[in-house]
Amino acid sequence: MKFVIAIIKPFKLDDVREALAGVGVAGMTVSEVKGFGRQKGQTEIYRGAEYSVNMLPKVKLEIAVSDELMPKVVEAIQQTASTQSIGDGKIFVLDLASTTRIRTGETDETAL
């Protein structure tokens, strides 16, 4: 099993969610987060004063998937979330040791 974490631009969330449903993802966790990378934030003007915004709004997706589904999930996120500009985000894939469904006690891939 794998744990996929993707950081994407907020306006891409609906497109990515639809693409993931199309490849068989049954569920995910979505969090609103802030951060920066090479983009280094941005400068904004408010009431005539210029100020720097160091942390940009992003969306973090967390998805537990089977080993077989993982390549399709990564490809769907990468293709759908891309705008071909800096700040599109990152995808991280981690090994997932164990999963348990709280309601039924099912474990590992049956709990996904």
Side-chain angles (χ1 to χ4, degrees), residues 3-25:
F3 191 62
V4 179
I5 301 171
I7 310 295
I8 64 171
K9 291 182 175 181
F11 69 90
K12 286 295 201 171
L13 177 59
D14 288 335
D15 295 337
V16 170
R17 188 179 62 209
E18 288 175 16
L20 290 172
V23 297
V25 171

Side-chain angles (χ1 to χ4, degrees), residues 12-73:
K12 286 295 201 171
L13 177 59
D14 288 335
D15 295 337
V16 170
R17 188 179 62 209
E18 288 175 16
L20 290 172
V23 297
V25 171
M28 71 181 81
T29 300
V30 178
S31 305
E32 292 180 7
V33 296
K34 292 183 179 186
F36 72 93
R38 286 192 214 162
Q39 200 173 7
K40 302 280 193 256
Q42 60 193 20
T43 302
E44 294 184 1
I45 297 175
Y46 178 71
R47 293 191 176 184
E50 187 175 299
Y51 66 98
S52 178
V53 179
N54 294 329
M55 300 288 184
L56 297 172
K58 301 287 182 180
V59 173
K60 179 167 85 169
L61 309 177
E62 297 173 310
I63 310 157
V65 296
S66 66
D67 291 331
E68 297 79 32
L69 191 57
M70 186 273 299
K72 292 179 184 176
V73 167

